[in-house]
Amino acid sequence: MATLFRDTPEDEIEDIADDAALPLGGGNEHAGGLAVVAGDEDSLHPEVETSRALALTDVIAPRSSAGEALIRMAYRMGVPGHALAAPFRRAAPVRILATVDAPAIGNRAAGTAIRAGHFLIDGVKLPIAQVNFEATAKSAPRVERTLHSFSWLADLAASAPREDCISSAERITLRWLEANGEPAKGPAWEVENVGLRLLAWLVHAPLILGTKGGELRPRLLAAIQETAGWLDRKAVRTGAGLGQIAGLAGVTAAGLLLPEGKPRRLYGEAALIRALGELVGEDGGVLARCPEAQMDAIAVLTNLIACYEAVEVDVPEALIVMRELLVPPLLVLRHGDGGLGSWQGNGAIAADRVASLLAATGIRTRPLKEVEHWGFHRLRGGKTVVQFDAAPPPRARHVRNGCASTLAFEVSDGPSRLIVNCGGSSLSGGQIPARIGQGLRATAAHSTLILDNANSTAVLLHGKLGRGAETVDVERKVLSKHGREAHRIEASHDGYGARFGLTHQRVLSLRTDGSELAGEDILLPVSRKGKRGKIGFAIRFHLGRGVEAHLSEDGRGASLLTPDGKLWQFRLRGDAAGAADVALKCEDSLWVDGDGRPHPTEQLVIEGLTSRGGGQFSWLLKKMG
């Protein structure tokens, strides 16, 4: 398990000694039944698998009496909640029992746009008057999610005082109810959207139930009751993943905030804790290996915990611990500008969005050190941050918008991103055409090696992945030579083994002062008897937005000037530089920001032919000033 830290000033988070949020002694200690072990980053040698999940119920069992267990079982069997909570009385009328102090995790710009009369989704303005809210209407996936999950309510709440938002919220909600009177097929009735919608209605109830009288209030209260009942039946039957978590969180929130809801709450929270064990790996990273899914899971738990606090019911310890486990893996992907790297289809999620979510949790922690299933490793030296994908892609049951990014890396120097991945495939349909979005999932859209222009893992339609990289071996250590130290990480994957008989191994070494990043890309034959002939390869280094690249006269290097005036030098080293069939080129590329806007950029490409018996290509990134 990861070591957890909080209550630490932000400027000391990276540098302090162990100051655990959960108590740690000389050995393993338990906090609410959860064993927390301080990790040793320098001796990390895992072989990564992605099939194992954290069985949270094994370490933190829900505390309940025999009577509560019977109530939970009866509710699961279909006994009405009011019959269990108040068996000799009529069912209480539907109302919201408490006002939730909604966490401030919305997008202020998007909320301001709503008050101006249009949705702002991935940089595209959609006039609200022209939006079709029907369940069967075809729109881009991100538009469908925004409309039907009611995630826009959080944006609206973040944009202005409540009284300035009520009219817009009520008008949109009424239009949605008119278009979706009954459950139907389509994105409006996918369990994930339904769960998020119910949670948003309950958390932001003052925005949509604030005006007494009129037709909205009774219709919405009836919809809340019907939606909760629909989720009672559907949420536990959907597949493992964020959708099930959202659905069961909605059930639990309804049990907290609707009358006679204790049976529903007991049923929902027990199922939710079990489902969280299927969503999250042992190191706290979601098994989808997707930064946005990680953020969504944190946001769902934060909203749900706010519901517990609103009605003054003790929050199950499992939910508190799980949220604390989810935060450190997210911080691994935080660059010097505070935003996230571009991984598994995400654009570069902006710093303010990450900061608002972390502030809402109240958790302060260090980035995860003991990486397992999350697979993303972080090296830091001075102001230089390196992110490295050293795990197989997510399994089919967990994948959301899978990318063939194994052994790709990103580099930032303070607020400037030097080496990036293109990112943004999950944002296609807005400013990014769908056909380009598919290409952004390919290995070539990431800063790694590619053989014969083939993906390291097969990229399929609808965000799915096929065969390819199944095993990744990782070794991490600290090297010391002549009084200088460097963080070294070495990883290899078998994605090209079956097709080309070669294993790709990548070694990254970052000096502790951040001034040099040395890399080696090695192709090793799978068997002793290597194949004959040669094969084309390319090692791509996609450059950050605004980075200016100038090739050297000898064709063996390039100078890289960041937007804030820092100069880095890229050089080929060793045999790769002297080989006649290897060349360094500068080509066009693109990078997608967190709002779904594509930006033209450049990429350095080491390209040529290599023996099917293997090859080694060394390079160096050095900070010049």
Side-chain angles (χ1 to χ4, degrees):
M1 296 294 179
T3 305
L4 304 178
F5 300 83
R6 63 182 174 194
D7 299 328
T8 306
E10 288 186 352
D11 57 347
E12 297 178 15
I13 285 175
E14 293 287 349
D15 303 314
I16 60 168
D18 293 348
D19 181 12
L22 301 180
L24 298 174
N28 297 358
E29 293 187 17
H30 294 264
L34 177 66
V36 183
V37 184
D40 181 5
E41 184 182 48
D42 300 341
S43 59
L44 185 62
H45 307 282
E47 180 171 310
V48 180
E49 303 172 346
T50 58
S51 58
R52 296 182 60 198
L54 172 66
L56 192 59
T57 49
D58 292 340
V59 293
I60 309 178
R63 297 174 181 174
S64 59
S65 63
E68 289 178 337
L70 288 173
I71 291 173
R72 186 164 55 240
M73 182 178 67
Y75 191 81
R76 185 171 63 247
M77 295 174 64
V79 179
H82 70 85
L84 294 169
F88 303 109
R89 290 183 292 183
R90 293 181 179 179
V94 182
R95 62 188 179 93
I96 307 298
L97 298 179
T99 299
V100 179
D101 184 10
I105 55 179
N107 184 318
R108 184 175 181 181
T112 301
I114 291 172
R115 292 192 292 117
H118 55 262
F119 289 111
L120 182 62
I121 304 173
D122 297 335
V124 178
K125 293 183 178 180
L126 299 176
I128 296 172
Q130 299 176 18
V131 171
N132 185 350
F133 289 93
E134 293 181 0
T136 57
K138 296 295 183 182
S139 301
R142 302 275 293 191
V143 174
E144 292 173 344
R145 177 181 171 88
T146 299
L147 298 182
H148 299 305
S149 72
F150 274 64
S151 61
W152 55 266
L153 274 176
D155 300 334
L156 190 60
S159 69
R162 181 187 302 169
E163 55 272 15
D164 295 337
C165 301
I166 288 176
S167 61
S168 296
E170 290 183 340
R171 183 169 62 254
I172 298 171
T173 302
L174 185 58
R175 284 193 59 196
W176 189 93
L177 290 173
E178 290 171 346
N180 296 275
E182 297 291 337
K185 293 183 179 180
W189 295 98
E190 293 175 358
V191 169
E192 182 172 338
N193 286 336
V194 177
L196 293 174
R197 179 166 69 242
L198 179 58
L199 192 58
W201 282 346
L202 294 169
V203 169
H204 298 286
L207 285 181
I208 49 181
L209 292 172
T211 303
K212 295 183 179 180
E215 61 175 319
L216 175 60
R217 188 180 183 89
R219 288 185 64 175
L220 183 56
L221 287 172
I224 288 173
Q225 182 77 313
E226 292 168 3
T227 301
W230 187 90
L231 284 172
D232 285 342
R233 301 186 299 273
K234 300 289 186 179
V236 293
R237 299 177 185 174
T238 194
L242 187 62
Q244 188 176 55
I245 299 304
L248 292 171
V251 168
T252 307
L256 289 164
L257 292 168
L258 297 183
E260 300 167 347
K262 183 176 180 179
R264 174 177 277 145
R265 171 178 65 81
L266 294 174
Y267 163 75
E269 66 187 18
L272 175 60
I273 291 169
R274 287 195 300 271
L276 283 166
E278 296 295 322
L279 177 79
V280 180
E282 293 178 359
D283 55 8
V286 296
L287 296 179
R289 302 194 62 237
C290 172
E292 189 161 41
Q294 191 86 6
M295 292 182 67
D296 288 343
I298 295 171
V300 166
L301 291 180
T302 300
N303 279 320
L304 182 59
I305 289 171
C307 294
Y308 277 96
E309 294 170 346
V311 293
E312 299 181 351
V313 172
D314 290 339
V315 184
E317 193 168 9
L319 301 184
I320 296 175
V321 172
M322 177 53 74
R323 187 174 65 166
E324 291 180 336
L325 284 173
L326 285 166
V327 174
L330 184 68
L331 298 183
V332 170
L333 301 182
R334 209 174 185 188
H335 276 298
D337 61 3
L340 301 185
S342 302
W343 300 103
Q344 288 301 311
N346 290 151
I349 297 174
D352 55 352
R353 184 178 165 194
V354 179
S356 63
L357 178 64
L358 295 177
T361 68
I363 298 171
R364 290 191 175 184
T365 181
R366 298 175 69 185
L368 179 68
K369 291 176 63 179
E370 195 169 334
V371 178
E372 294 181 27
H373 305 94
W374 184 231
F376 296 109
H377 290 255
R378 186 175 194 264
L379 307 178
R380 183 184 178 189
K383 294 184 178 181
T384 304
V385 172
V386 177
Q387 299 174 8
F388 187 38
D389 181 359
R395 300 296 187 187
R397 66 183 300 200
H398 299 293
V399 68
R400 292 177 70 84
N401 197 275
C403 297
S405 60
T406 310
L407 302 196
F409 77 112
E410 293 196 348
V411 181
S412 62
D413 179 10
S416 296
R417 301 193 184 206
L418 189 66
I419 307 294
V420 298
N421 301 308
C422 295
S425 61
S426 67
L427 308 177
S428 61
Q431 298 186 65
I432 302 172
R435 59 182 178 80
I436 294 180
Q438 183 74 358
L440 293 175
R441 299 171 56 209
T443 302
H446 298 82
S447 293
T448 187
L449 177 144
I450 182 170
L451 278 180
D452 199 29
N453 205 30
N455 293 317
S456 58
T457 297
V459 174
L460 308 179
L461 296 176
H462 310 299
K464 303 300 182 182
L465 295 172
R467 294 183 179 181
E470 296 290 336
T471 303
V472 176
D473 297 316
V474 186
E475 182 177 351
R476 184 168 175 171
K477 61 181 71 173
V478 173
L479 302 178
S480 181
K481 186 176 181 180
H482 304 306
R484 296 180 178 180
E485 290 188 342
H487 301 289
R488 173 188 169 102
I489 185 167
E490 176 181 321
S492 62
H493 77 77
D494 59 353
Y496 293 122
R499 287 169 289 175
F500 306 120
L502 293 169
T503 294
H504 175 208
Q505 182 182 72
R506 170 164 273 183
V507 182
L508 299 176
S509 300
L510 177 68
R511 281 181 49 172
T512 52
D513 63 1
S515 62
E516 287 186 6
L517 175 66
E520 289 182 273
D521 286 289
I522 306 167
L523 293 171
L524 301 171
V526 173
S527 61
R528 291 185 178 180
K529 187 178 180 180
K531 296 183 179 181
R532 295 182 178 180
K534 294 191 175 184
I535 187 172
F537 78 95
I539 308 173
R540 299 185 180 275
F541 303 84
H542 296 274
L543 303 180
R545 181 186 179 189
V547 174
E548 297 179 11
H550 300 279
L551 293 177
S552 61
E553 293 182 0
D554 61 4
R556 298 173 56 179
S559 61
L560 306 176
L561 183 65
T562 66
D564 59 352
K566 296 174 183 175
L567 181 64
W568 286 74
Q569 186 180 61
F570 178 88
R571 297 291 295 175
L572 288 171
R573 304 171 72 185
D575 295 339
D581 51 2
V582 174
L584 178 65
K585 302 178 181 179
C586 186
E587 299 179 356
D588 292 336
S589 182
L590 66 84
W591 176 78
V592 182
D593 66 21
D595 293 323
R597 290 186 293 262
H599 300 274
T601 57
E602 294 180 305
Q603 60 177 310
L604 296 178
V605 185
I606 303 172
E607 190 173 34
L609 297 173
T610 186
S611 168
R612 286 181 175 266
Q616 180 173 347
F617 313 96
S618 301
W619 46 267
L620 177 69
L621 266 174
K622 185 173 183 178
K623 188 174 183 179
M624 307 303 292

